[in-house]
Amino acid sequence: MKLPKYAENVPRQELVQAICRNNCGKVRYMKVSRTPWSKNEDFANNDLHATCLKCGGQANDYYNWIKV
């Protein structure tokens, strides 16, 4: 799968796809704050987030992320 230009320079293990609920309002590529991560982590673990590579908004709902 070819990545869009805004996500090309980020290593794939750090990329996820998620809905950007900030400025974009649609599915975007995001960079996770740390790797590895798992959907089974405690949701109270607030150091795990993804940053939208388009607008810079943050997502904390990692149960909705899709690994790239």
Side-chain angles (χ1 to χ4, degrees), residues 4-47:
K5 287 217 179 273
Y6 71 90
E8 284 180 338
N9 296 327
V10 179
R12 285 197 181 241
Q13 68 268 19
E14 296 177 12
L15 283 177
V16 295
Q17 282 188 300
I19 296 173
C20 177
R21 290 179 168 73
N22 297 289
N23 298 322
C24 298
K26 57 184 169 181
V27 175
R28 293 285 191 196
Y29 285 93
M30 299 185 171
K31 182 178 178 181
V32 294
S33 58
R34 64 175 168 76
T35 56
W37 66 275
S38 168
K39 290 186 178 190
N40 297 328
E41 292 188 37
D42 181 13
F43 191 67
N45 184 359
N46 58 5
D47 71 327

